[in-house]
Amino acid sequence: MMHGLTRRSGLLAGAASVLSSAWIRTARADETGTLTVALSTNPVTCDPINSSSHDWEIISESIFENLVEFDIDGNLKPQLATALPEISADALVYTFELRDDVLFHDGMPMTSEDVKYSLEYIINPANKASRGPIFNRLSHVETDGPHRVHVHLKVPFAPWTSFLTKFMGVFPKGSREKYGNEYFRVSPKGVGTGPGMFEEWKPNDYISMRRNPHYWQKGLPHWDRVVVKIVPEDATRVAFLLAGQADIIGAPPAREFSRLKTRRGIQGGAVPTLGGWTVMFQNPSKPPFDDIEFRRCIQHAVDRKTIAEKIYYGLVEPSGIPAPASGWWYDKKADDMTAYNLDLAKQHLAKSRYPKGTEFDMDVSAEPYLLDAKDAAVFVQSELAKLNIKVNLRVSSSQIVQSHIMGGGYQSGFANFMSPGEATYFLMANFTANSFMANVSGNTVDPEVVAALKIAFAENDREKLKPVYAKLMVHMAETSYYTWVGYFAAANLWRARVKNFRPSRGLTINVYDASIS
């Protein structure tokens, strides 16, 4: 346990190292000790329990930490806990031993009371945390001394620990009432335990974090400051990288990625994700998508292979079901049921209420979110025109598109959405009651999905689960709620001076181990 740091001394130490806003605005990526990251979308919040963009979780995941985390290879490992949890025989109690050397950014030690407070805050519906429904199967938390907690569940729910990295954070007991939600959204100073301490948010420009001087992982981080810049345009983001204005960029343009990653002084990498949907969302509660035959028509009218190879240049792995081809729960029989086949598409269209065609709106983000959706949407538009189906593209900012889809006030939308990479997450979020993305599916509660997930929540043996998912994937192909195109890769480009950096299977840019030479 570390001693001698108080709340006051921690704040004074932080104040001494803060540089001026003017310095941050003009900082180049080659400033000593400063790591600069350029992302394509505007942040909405620094608060993990209300996060909406995986791009910007570089901020929340650097400031806040969790009992366990997914590392960049997609493996679950301890973080603020000393080990993965002990699970009771009935799978209703998870026991965690906590580290005894963790300090919040204000210098106060983290204890079991803080963990209890944080978990019970997010599961309390009165607090209206947007990610709260994900954890609504948790009941309560008991403390057992300063460094031990027992998390009680209402029903077995094996996936919940997999969601902590993205959608939770441990913060000081009473801090939400003391500071308010807006504080956590725009200026969470002193309330995290991670390697990055919030410094400044300049809207439409950047967010900066400085190094946590008493971080519990000794020797980390290797940087003094991280500046995360907002650069929506692909060409400008690449120019920032080549000109030394950025060390790492997210959402590199797929067309240029292979060429750029071998350019002198530049490195690049891509790794398949287990949770990255490239998908045409369709609202089953609104015409024409309330017609299953019309949905089946669309499913067979989309050439996934061409989109993956010609538009995304291999950065998307084709799949017509909610499972990546490289994922353990993938089922080829179900995927084959969604294959591109215009003759079959015409047959389903003839059986629908729209045998002569129709039209609908499709929301598309103006700027890239994870990957650029516009070219793929235009390709789908041209393919559906062959069936006398007119697609009206509605191009807006990513925030507007996301809110439109998430709110359910849409007909269709071509988008990239990222999950924690766990087999149940998107199905649970879209097709069960009172879930995070229930509005997206028009509040479709599918009994077969609910029944399959109940089995999955209570079972950890993948071999036993594979036939359950095989049946479920066939059902998803038959119902065709959405038109899945595939799963995208996590791809980044970075300058050669950046060491110990790799793209993460969880997609979010992870700079814990990154260093600058």
Side-chain angles (χ1 to χ4, degrees), residues 41 51-58 61 70-74 131 134 162-163 165-167 271-279 281 315 324 329 369-371 402 405-406 414-427 429-430 436-437 484 486-492 503-509:
T41 55
S51 65
S52 60
S53 166
H54 276 72
D55 263 1
W56 284 91
E57 283 171 5
I58 182 178
E61 289 179 23
F70 267 119
D71 64 17
I72 62 172
D73 295 315
R131 299 294 183 172
I134 298 169
S162 301
F163 305 149
T165 297
K166 298 291 184 185
F167 306 135
V271 59
T273 64
L274 296 177
W277 277 7
T278 293
V279 62
F281 286 111
L315 292 183
W329 67 101
Y369 174 57
L370 315 177
L371 285 174
Q402 189 176 67
I405 293 174
M406 295 294 284
F414 199 98
N416 297 299
F417 264 60
M418 183 65 189
S419 82
E422 189 277 334
T424 67
Y425 178 81
F426 263 138
L427 295 172
N430 283 267
F436 174 58
M437 296 177 69
W484 287 275
Y487 279 67
F488 54 80
N492 297 109
S504 169
R505 291 203 80 176
L507 188 79
T508 303
I509 293 174

Side-chain angles (χ1 to χ4, degrees), residues 136-442:
N136 63 9
R137 293 171 179 82
L138 275 61
S139 172
H140 63 284
V141 181
E142 292 179 347
T143 61
D144 184 4
H147 302 114
R148 184 179 174 91
V149 294
H150 307 286
V151 181
H152 291 257
L153 278 60
K154 301 172 186 175
V155 293
F157 186 46
W160 78 274
T161 55
S162 301
F163 305 149
L164 291 174
T165 297
K166 298 291 184 185
F167 306 135
M168 250 298 294
V170 173
F171 31 85
K173 181 179 179 179
S175 57
R176 290 277 171 172
E177 292 79 8
K178 179 178 180 180
Y179 297 114
N181 287 333
E182 189 68 4
Y183 184 89
F184 279 80
R185 188 180 78 83
V186 300
S187 59
K189 297 181 179 180
V191 290
T193 63
M197 301 174 69
F198 179 88
E199 187 170 47
E200 184 180 20
W201 182 347
K202 187 177 191 320
N204 302 310
D205 194 348
Y206 65 83
I207 291 178
S208 66
M209 299 177 292
R210 57 188 173 84
R211 182 180 187 274
N212 179 357
H214 45 262
Y215 186 47
W216 59 270
Q217 293 197 56
K218 305 308 178 189
L220 295 180
H222 299 296
W223 35 262
D224 295 325
R225 177 172 275 99
V226 170
V227 177
V228 185
K229 295 184 177 182
I230 304 156
V231 187
E233 302 82 9
D234 280 352
T236 306
R237 220 161 41 257
V238 170
F240 267 48
L241 182 74
L242 299 180
Q245 290 293 110
D247 287 307
I248 304 169
I249 66 170
R255 184 187 299 271
E256 304 293 332
F257 178 72
S258 293
R259 177 182 63 84
L260 290 169
K261 72 179 182 179
T262 59
R263 185 181 175 120
R264 184 177 180 181
I266 302 296
Q267 299 180 50
V271 59
T273 64
L274 296 177
W277 277 7
T278 293
V279 62
M280 181 176 158
F281 286 111
Q282 300 157 170
N283 193 332
S285 69
K286 293 180 180 291
F289 298 105
D290 58 347
D291 185 327
I292 190 171
E293 292 296 338
F294 185 79
R295 297 200 304 266
R296 287 170 174 167
C297 163
I298 302 300
Q299 177 171 255
H300 291 294
V302 173
D303 186 349
R304 297 169 180 83
K305 187 173 185 291
T306 296
I307 292 175
E309 294 180 358
K310 304 299 184 183
I311 296 177
Y312 289 125
Y313 295 86
L315 292 183
V316 166
E317 181 181 46
S319 177
I321 54 176
S326 57
W328 66 266
W329 67 101
Y330 174 79
D331 184 77
K332 188 175 186 305
K333 174 187 173 183
D335 195 8
D336 288 346
M337 291 171 61
T338 71
Y340 175 60
N341 186 324
L342 277 182
D343 289 336
L344 195 52
K346 291 174 183 177
Q347 293 175 29
H348 285 296
L349 185 63
K351 296 177 185 177
S352 76
R353 297 197 304 268
Y354 313 96
K356 295 182 179 180
T358 186
E359 67 179 283
F360 61 82
D361 296 334
M362 181 188 291
D363 288 296
V364 187
S365 172
E367 66 273 8
Y369 174 57
L370 315 177
L371 285 174
D372 197 334
K374 294 191 295 296
D375 287 347
V378 170
F379 177 77
V380 170
Q381 181 187 49
S382 66
E383 288 290 283
L384 295 184
K386 298 174 184 177
L387 302 173
N388 199 33
I389 298 172
K390 181 182 179 182
V391 179
N392 305 308
L393 297 182
R394 306 198 318 175
V395 181
S396 307
S397 73
S398 62
Q399 291 182 23
I400 291 175
V401 170
Q402 189 176 67
S403 64
H404 202 201
I405 293 174
M406 295 294 284
Y410 78 109
Q411 281 184 288
S412 75
F414 199 98
N416 297 299
F417 264 60
M418 183 65 189
S419 82
E422 189 277 334
T424 67
Y425 178 81
F426 263 138
L427 295 172
M428 174 184 68
N430 283 267
F431 304 112
T432 63
N434 303 314
S435 60
F436 174 58
M437 296 177 69
N439 290 334
V440 182
S441 67

Side-chain angles (χ1 to χ4, degrees), residues 29-55:
D30 56 8
E31 293 285 349
T32 302
T34 297
L35 180 68
T36 305
V37 180
L39 298 181
S40 61
T41 55
N42 244 318
V44 175
T45 182
C46 297
D47 186 355
I49 71 173
N50 290 300
S51 65
S52 60
S53 166
H54 276 72
D55 263 1

